[in-house]
Amino acid sequence: MSYNDKAEYDAYVALPSEKRLVQTLSHMMGAEVRSASPRNQSKMGGMSGVIQFLDVVLASTGESLALVLKTAAGSPLRATLGSAREALFYDAFGSSLEDANVPRCFYAHGDMATGDTTLLMQCLENAVPAGTFFGGEQPNNWGVQERLPELCAGN
């Protein structure tokens, strides 16, 4: 979000956390959000940054959405690895791939120069995390080795 001056930014920061979240999500989605709260869910492995699972209700329709907010601050390593590609992919192609079971993306920003990434996307319930197919030897799966067969089975 952008602010016109320090007073506008200070007013935003002073809001209770749920109101800040609702305001930020409304900006990202281009639609008014009535409410937003964290889901009782955690990511499986991965070193992809901070992942927050959210329950969101749209003001106009009352529709409830399960969303994932993925953020990763830029760093020289993330820039070198091209980590912003995921956000750039969703920004360019995401809306045209919804029929292919690609999660709906409401907001995507990626900066290849810094590696900074922000994505707000649909949470696919009961989906198989793609990284599970790389096996137990993959460092991202070390904490879930005993669950890999179950995870790979899918729905």
Side-chain angles (χ1 to χ4, degrees):
M1 294 177 63
S2 60
Y3 305 94
N4 294 322
D5 55 32
K6 184 174 180 338
E8 190 176 287
Y9 173 77
D10 289 343
Y12 170 76
V13 171
L15 290 172
S17 60
E18 183 183 351
K19 287 190 177 190
R20 277 197 313 266
L21 180 60
V22 164
Q23 196 173 66
T24 300
L25 292 172
S26 294
H27 173 76
M28 293 172 89
M29 297 178 76
E32 187 179 348
V33 170
R34 178 185 307 150
S35 65
S37 58
R39 299 184 87 193
N40 186 16
Q41 188 171 344
S42 60
K43 74 174 188 169
M44 187 208 87
M47 294 181 273
S48 55
V50 177
I51 296 183
Q52 296 174 291
F53 294 91
L54 304 167
D55 287 319
V56 173
V57 177
L58 298 179
S60 61
T61 62
E63 179 183 7
S64 294
L65 302 170
L67 302 180
V68 178
L69 177 62
K70 298 172 70 173
T71 57
S75 71
L77 177 61
R78 289 186 56 79
T80 300
L81 294 174
S83 297
R85 291 175 300 188
E86 179 183 21
L88 297 175
F89 169 84
Y90 277 103
D91 190 43
F93 303 110
S95 63
S96 65
L97 296 172
E98 287 179 20
D99 291 337
N101 251 358
V102 172
R104 180 176 174 197
C105 186
F106 296 92
Y107 179 86
H109 168 77
D111 185 334
M112 290 295 285
T114 65
D116 185 62
T117 303
T118 303
L119 287 153
L120 179 64
M121 56 199 325
Q122 172 188 16
C123 180
L124 296 179
E125 304 291 340
N126 300 314
V128 178
T132 60
F133 297 112
F134 294 110
E137 296 78 26
Q138 210 283 336
N140 293 341
N141 293 332
W142 288 350
V144 294
Q145 285 181 336
E146 69 284 347
R147 291 184 47 222
L148 286 177
E150 168 197 343
L151 291 169
C152 290
N155 309 343

